[in-house]
Amino acid sequence: MDLRRRPRGGRLISLVPMIDVMLILLVFFMVTSSYLDLDMVPMLERQDDSAPAPRVGNAEANGPLFVRIGPDGALRVGPRSLDLAGFAGLLGDRLTADAGLQVLILPSGHAPTQALVSVMDAATRAGVQRLRIVRLSGAP
């Protein structure tokens, strides 16, 4: 009779639960993260000492026109604050230079709805065909 026990092989550690946890964490971080932070859109002209800064009305004639609506309903196009009449004039100038002008409206999270509707109305009256609203979340 042999009373010695046979040595057992090393226990195997299963990696399946670890992979499951990693996938759950991956999905969690993908869902909770923000991929596009539109507050990074530059609203001020670049100050370059070697060349004069271009005017906002003529800057990037083929590029989109970014219009920010602040929490108080104020319009900002680049570094300038505008009222609705000034905005309509700017749109008229830009549309004569580029008939396919794209206007991106970036309201803040606390912008009044009436300000957004007024900007959209002024843009459609000026003849803008490509109008988009991109919602910005309010700052925490």
Side-chain angles (χ1 to χ4, degrees):
M1 247 173 42
D2 190 16
L3 295 176
R4 287 183 295 159
R5 291 188 179 180
R6 293 184 188 165
R8 284 187 171 174
R11 288 194 171 247
L12 295 177
I13 297 176
S14 177
L15 294 179
V16 174
M18 186 182 73
I19 293 171
D20 291 342
V21 169
M22 293 303 290
L23 286 175
I24 289 171
L25 287 174
L26 176 69
V27 170
F28 174 77
F29 287 120
M30 286 176 58
V31 169
T32 59
S33 65
S34 172
Y35 290 108
L36 184 61
D37 185 13
L38 290 177
D39 283 329
M40 295 173 31
V41 174
M43 299 314 303
L44 297 175
E45 292 179 352
R46 174 178 247 164
Q47 297 297 326
D48 192 7
D49 294 335
S50 62
R55 286 184 34 220
V56 174
N58 295 335
E60 297 183 21
N62 294 332
L65 179 67
F66 292 101
V67 180
R68 290 201 64 168
I69 303 175
D72 57 348
L75 300 178
R76 291 192 62 79
V77 178
R80 299 189 314 188
S81 293
L82 297 174
D83 59 350
L84 285 176
F87 177 64
L90 177 67
L91 283 176
D93 293 343
R94 290 286 301 262
L95 283 171
T96 56
D98 180 17
L101 175 68
Q102 180 178 9
V103 177
L104 295 175
I105 302 173
L106 308 164
S108 72
H110 301 288
T113 306
Q114 183 59 47
L116 175 63
V117 171
S118 299
V119 169
M120 291 171 45
D121 190 37
T124 53
R125 268 194 252 130
V128 173
Q129 298 293 320
R130 298 173 58 197
L131 179 69
R132 290 193 180 215
I133 301 170
V134 180
R135 186 181 182 286
L136 297 177
S137 61

